[in-house]
Amino acid sequence: DTGVSQNPRHKITKRGQNVTFRCDPISEHNRLYWYRQTLGQGPEFLTYFQNEAQLEKSRLLSDRFSAERPKGSFSTLEIQRTEQGDSAMYLCASSLPRTKTDGELFFGEGSRLTVL
Amino acid sequence: AQSVTQLGSHVSVSEGALVLLRCNYSSSVPPYLFWYVQYPNQGLQLLLKYTTGATLVKGINGFEAEFKKSETSFHLTKPSAHMSDAAEYFCAVSVNGGFKTIFGAGTRLFVKA
């Protein structure tokens, strides 16, 4: 069973460094989402891809954040010049096309970022 | 815009007791409603969902939820708690299977022996 895969699972970095997370969605899912989860909060929507097109970005996604899905398969989320406030769990989810789903999301286990 | 409020960040029940986790939503159009569960060190997984039709929906592990439009609620229940139910539960809303799912802050369920 190949679910949503994220790596690295944990990343510790110093403030000011760049980090990149990768997400491999379920193969037949054309929609891919990034969420951020901080302690005591639910997942917050960051951005969404349909195939390779990035269709929406949250205001939470500052200019230091960039996400790509170049071939409509895996996606990367890069954070430049990390700040301590970026420390969080970054969640990736995928789903079937709109015509084939009621909106169920399939989540990876997340990538935990700690910025020192 | 849609929003979700989960009442109670922590709920503690005894094993065998009723579980009730509360969720209220706000949506200007008919919502799709979800409950997800997150076990420690695992990703979120779907417990159950309401889209249209029957307002009482059953999910995995004996959980069920009832959509009450008049109360804008979608509370999650289970008649008898089991130790393995200890986890964090998230209520979520989206519109017409749309791309943006909005999550509540979560309720952590503790089950006492």
Side-chain angles (χ1 to χ4, degrees), chain A residues 9 31 33 35 37 40-45 48 55-56 89 91 98 101-110, chain B residues 32 34 36 38 41-46 49 51 88 90 94-106:
Chain A
R9 293 289 312 281
R31 300 162 96 177
Y33 313 77
Y35 282 82
Q37 186 179 19
Q41 297 298 317
E44 297 174 294
F45 173 83
Y48 155 70
L55 297 186
E56 180 159 331
M89 179 75 85
L91 303 174
R98 178 176 176 174
T101 180
D102 292 328
E104 177 181 356
L105 300 178
F106 293 80
F107 282 88
E109 294 181 333
Chain B
Y32 286 15
F34 307 83
Y36 286 84
Q38 187 175 32
N41 299 316
Q42 294 186 27
L44 281 78
Q45 57 182 282
L46 184 70
K49 62 184 175 184
T51 55
E88 187 138 27
F90 295 95
S94 72
V95 176
N96 294 333
F99 64 85
K100 186 185 290 186
T101 300
I102 305 299
F103 288 83

Side-chain angles (χ1 to χ4, degrees), chain A residues 48-78:
Chain A
Y48 155 70
F49 290 86
Q50 183 165 291
N51 300 312
E52 66 276 7
Q54 187 174 20
L55 297 186
E56 180 159 331
K57 291 172 57 173
S58 166
R59 291 170 298 174
L60 294 174
L61 217 61
S62 76
D63 291 344
R64 297 184 297 105
F65 288 71
S66 62
E68 294 181 343
R69 194 182 183 199
K71 296 182 180 179
S73 56
F74 73 91
S75 175
T76 58
L77 177 68
E78 180 183 17

Side-chain angles (χ1 to χ4, degrees), chain B residues 5-99:
Chain B
T5 302
Q6 292 185 240
L7 302 176
S9 59
H10 297 84
V11 170
S12 181
V13 300
S14 298
E15 194 173 20
L18 171 72
V19 175
L20 171 60
L21 305 183
R22 300 178 186 272
C23 171
N24 288 88
Y25 70 91
S26 172
S27 177
S28 57
V29 297
Y32 286 15
L33 295 162
F34 307 83
W35 277 98
Y36 286 84
V37 61
Q38 187 175 32
Y39 298 104
N41 299 316
Q42 294 186 27
L44 281 78
Q45 57 182 282
L46 184 70
L47 261 184
L48 50 78
K49 62 184 175 184
Y50 168 80
T51 55
T52 59
T55 56
L56 182 64
V57 292
K58 297 185 184 298
I60 61 172
N61 301 335
F63 284 92
E64 62 182 36
E66 187 171 10
F67 169 60
K68 292 187 176 180
K69 183 179 179 180
S70 61
E71 299 177 7
T72 62
S73 70
F74 191 57
H75 302 330
L76 182 70
T77 60
K78 181 174 180 178
S80 177
H82 191 273
M83 297 295 288
S84 61
D85 295 326
E88 187 138 27
Y89 293 80
F90 295 95
C91 183
V93 62
S94 72
V95 176
N96 294 333
F99 64 85

